[in-house]
Amino acid sequence: MCRPVGGKMSLWSLVSALPPEHVSGLYGEFPGSLRGLLADWLENQPWEFLTGTDAFCTSAANALLSAMVEKLRSLTGGNRQPCQVLQHINNLENTFRRDPLRLVGIVKGILEGERAALLKQDRHLPLSFHRRQEELKFGLDLQRLQHRVGEIQALQERWKQMAEGIRACRQPNLQESPLKTEGKLQGNDLPALLLGTVKELEGAKVQVLNRLHIWKRQQQLAGNGAVFEENLAPLQKRCESLVDIYFQLQQLVAAAGGELGSDLLSRLLERLNAVLSALVESSFLVEKQPPQVLKTQTKFQASVRFLLGPRLLQASTKPQLVKADMVTEKQARELALGGSGTPLSESTGEIVHNTVALETNSASAASSATFKNMLLKKIKRCERKGSESVTEEKCAVLFSTDVTLGSGSQTFHLQALSLPIVVIVHGNQDNNAKATVLWDNAFSEPGRVPFVVAERVPWEKMCETLNLRFMAEVQTSKGLLPEHYFFLAQKIFNTSTASPEDFHNRSVSWAQFNKEILPGRGFTFWQWFDGVLDLTKRCLKSYWSDRLIIGFISKQYVSKLLGAAPDGTFLLRFSDSEIGGITIAHVIRGKDGSGQVENIQPFSAKDLHIRSLGDRIRDLVQLRNLYPDKPKDQAFGSHYNKEQMGKDGRGYVSTAIKMTVESERDQLRLSQVPPEGVPPPAQGQIFDFLGPSPEQANPVQMLPPDMRPAGYPTPMVLPPFHENIPATDPFHSPPTLLPVPVGTTAPALPLCSDSPFSSPPLAQNLLPWMPPGLGDLSPEPHDEEMPEIPPCSLSSLFLPCETLLPPPLLHRGVGVNVDLPSEEEIDRLLQDAQMEEGAQPCGFPGDPMANSSW
């Protein structure tokens, strides 16, 4: 098994896992046991970059041999055998001390052989190995540069001493010969040595610039979720080391100016200044990027860093100000073509709080400017190409400053461009803007023209991008599987007949990714995938990490998987038809043994916040085993929430929400049975529009039709009961009755306040026939509650307006037409009823009959 070493993968740990025959013959004069003792240390030395036999290589080889011996001596303690270690030390000293370059060649051959064996087995090496190799090469090149500077200084010192010695001798006849001889030595060696050193400095500069480009590229990939080593301290040390060598070489070239000649001197100084300019301009970069999806009128932050600031701005007394401006894609291209010294002509947007001082932190030795409260007030849109939408338009923030070095002889205009930004003005643009940013971050090439990106990319690269984004958004170590990629390929390419191998060499376009609507849907591929990301991140992280969700699988393939499974087998998949939904597919078997796969209505994030997925699965008794055969309690037991039992701390009895799912058979059966407590309709039922008697009253009857139980009988409208009423009488027109369920009657007419039915239902039943003027009984068209109507006597209601009731006055159980009674008849009837039931007279306040004797 491979083991990580210091956060990196050891080459020796990978080699140890190979079969012995793959590395046989590599370890001859350098035994395999010694290779194992020096495993990690050996790989962290620049053996492979020591080429040549000059003084520097010989000196470096001697230093490596001495370091190896010291490393072995430090290993004599512990559990290792001292005798074996001492024997290795003696062999090294006796064999390689006189020829250390031979040791370098042997170790180099071993390391190259091990890499070849690994490449033959795994076809790739860990990324940490390549990064370590680059660091070793730069470190050795820096040592060589320092060695060259030392040689130049020694050569100039020798010439200086020789010149002084000649002047001291004061022998005119001997002066010319030594000067000519030494002049030939200097003329042949010093210019060549200076030219060679400047060339090596330019090579080291290229390495630093490449490393800075790699850092920027990794920063961009981090926008999609890639791991990013954002520490800039190692890169700052590299830049500072090269600047130190630049200043030393500049002094050495200036000191040898008279002997070099004006032409060579100017060329060397020009090349040195070009190295300095490149290092200074490249070391000004965006350390913390602004949001790549930026909404107007929203505050955001960013920071820039000047790696050479602590070294070059120490003597500066004037504070350096950094300004932030918004630029379009066209302006970014113009700046790239014109070079870093080209100033910006016009900002394309208005940014508030866009100027900050460049400050040096003495504790961290970092020079940076942090923008904490920037706000984009508005943006100027440019003309878009073809069908390009506003969320495909890219811009950037340009950070710029002017720095003066030393005594003011050199001034640099520094600029740093942020990653591409999509500016939105509304939250509903966020999804499409994220797609533009994702595509640009994943598929842009280093050194491109801003912000050109490919229109088509290989499907395999798209799979890597989707997996990276998924793992980063969900914060899980469990990524997508090959079967998931197969489903996603079928979805984005709109095919269900291709095999997984058919997609290996296919490419996907930007239009397929987020412009073309999926067949039969109202959204694009990315909009659907982003909905899955959001749902999983918010509600399903633990389920996905435990591999309880298949997720990316089609409904047709689910039917194949569950077709032969036992009753109650289920699985979880992301909804095809809804954005951000997950559904449960389970098997139901009929009495004849035939199986049917049912898909429960998808759950959204809102649903799962009300009741979690695990608790919903526990609620459904028809779910038994997670596909293929894992009991659901065993699979989801750790995801169940503890149900509150008994009373809570305040003395209340606890309640819980439970989920149920009815099959089609259950729904059909329930639809044919009336709800419990509701009597079946009787044939020939006579309806009373004034309501039922108290013994007939049923609470279900009082509910509006849309609030009655699902199985309650459908309402019916009674036909008119009268034919003898003149059509010309406006108050005797046929009533329009509200729908009443079959088998029920309307509320009964109350007699007084002691009646079980209060007067407000009476007023509400009389509303369809109330004449104008009784506004106090009419419902108001707002949400305030109706004021309670005080108890009343029927005489006070009916005597002022005899047309209040319609002509067909229906008594309980009687459906006959009668003439409208007179006032005397009504009084007599009321008195009889009052004396029979023992009721007390009542009425409205101020009613003249309220206090009269009955």
Side-chain angles (χ1 to χ4, degrees), residues 291-298 300 326-328 348-351 375-381 384 389-397 419-427 429-430 432-434 436-437:
Q292 288 192 264
V293 177
L294 182 58
K295 189 173 181 291
T296 56
Q297 303 298 327
T298 303
F300 65 98
M326 189 67 67
V327 296
T328 63
T348 190
E350 182 180 350
I351 301 180
L375 183 142
L376 179 62
K377 290 191 67 175
K378 58 183 179 181
I379 184 73
K380 297 177 183 177
R381 300 290 186 183
R384 293 184 290 276
S389 66
V390 68
T391 56
E392 296 176 78
E393 180 182 340
K394 291 177 281 191
C395 55
V397 177
L419 293 175
I421 293 174
V422 177
V423 178
I424 63 175
V425 296
H426 195 279
Q429 298 173 318
D430 182 75
N432 292 328
K434 286 193 296 185
T436 301
V437 169

Side-chain angles (χ1 to χ4, degrees), residues 423-698:
V423 178
I424 63 175
V425 296
H426 195 279
N428 59 12
Q429 298 173 318
D430 182 75
N431 181 276
N432 292 328
K434 286 193 296 185
T436 301
V437 169
L438 179 76
W439 187 278
D440 190 274
N441 288 345
F443 308 121
S444 61
E445 297 291 337
R448 62 170 176 173
V449 176
F451 297 107
V452 177
V453 66
E455 283 290 326
R456 302 188 70 89
V457 295
W459 170 244
E460 291 185 352
K461 286 189 175 182
M462 173 58 71
C463 291
E464 296 174 4
T465 300
L466 295 177
N467 182 51
L468 189 66
R469 184 58 175 248
F470 188 93
M471 295 176 66
E473 284 285 326
V474 181
Q475 293 294 301
T476 178
S477 59
K478 303 298 176 64
L480 304 181
L481 301 175
E483 51 267 32
H484 298 152
Y485 295 137
F486 179 49
F487 165 76
L488 294 174
Q490 290 179 315
K491 194 174 190 68
I492 200 169
F493 292 116
N494 188 28
T495 177
S496 58
T497 58
S499 64
E501 293 76 17
D502 295 336
F503 298 113
H504 286 173
N505 297 323
R506 295 191 67 170
S507 61
V508 60
S509 67
W510 162 250
Q512 290 172 314
F513 181 67
N514 195 47
K515 285 187 74 71
E516 298 174 356
I517 301 298
L518 293 175
R521 309 299 182 202
F523 43 80
T524 65
F525 173 84
W526 164 252
Q527 290 169 348
W528 174 85
F529 187 83
D530 188 52
V532 170
L533 283 182
D534 184 69
L535 175 70
T536 310
K537 174 179 65 176
R538 294 168 60 186
C539 306
L540 306 175
K541 174 183 175 180
S542 58
Y543 301 92
W544 176 270
S545 298
D546 292 343
R547 291 299 188 193
L548 301 176
I549 300 175
I550 293 181
F552 299 101
I553 184 173
S554 65
K555 186 181 294 186
Q556 294 77 11
Y557 194 61
V558 167
S559 299
K560 293 181 180 179
L561 286 182
L562 300 182
D567 190 13
T569 304
F570 69 97
L571 58 80
L572 304 171
R573 71 176 188 87
F574 297 121
S575 173
D576 266 339
S577 57
E578 294 186 13
I579 294 179
I582 188 168
T583 182
I584 304 174
H586 63 103
V587 180
I588 293 181
R589 294 201 173 273
K591 295 181 179 180
D592 57 352
S594 61
Q596 179 183 358
V597 177
E598 290 191 350
N599 292 271
I600 298 176
Q601 181 177 349
F603 309 123
S604 65
K606 182 179 179 181
D607 299 327
L608 298 180
H609 281 145
I610 296 174
R611 187 159 181 81
S612 69
L613 180 62
D615 291 341
R616 289 175 183 268
I617 291 174
R618 176 174 56 181
D619 293 341
L620 299 179
V621 295
Q622 57 265 55
L623 306 182
R624 298 184 179 89
N625 296 316
L626 180 66
Y627 180 85
D629 55 2
K630 191 172 186 179
K632 75 172 183 180
D633 291 337
Q634 179 182 345
F636 293 91
S638 61
H639 301 276
Y640 294 161
N641 291 316
K642 184 178 179 181
E643 299 289 351
Q644 184 71 28
M645 304 298 292
K647 296 182 179 180
D648 61 13
R650 298 175 297 171
Y652 292 111
V653 177
S654 302
T655 62
I657 300 174
K658 298 291 183 181
M659 173 180 167
T660 60
V661 174
E662 297 176 349
S663 65
E664 294 182 0
R665 295 193 306 271
D666 296 334
Q667 294 175 1
L668 180 62
R669 184 178 67 254
L670 291 175
S671 65
Q672 297 173 349
V673 178
E676 184 178 356
V678 179
Q683 297 293 331
Q685 177 77 44
I686 304 299
F687 283 79
D688 187 345
F689 88 103
L690 291 179
S693 62
E695 63 270 16
Q696 292 176 318
N698 190 300

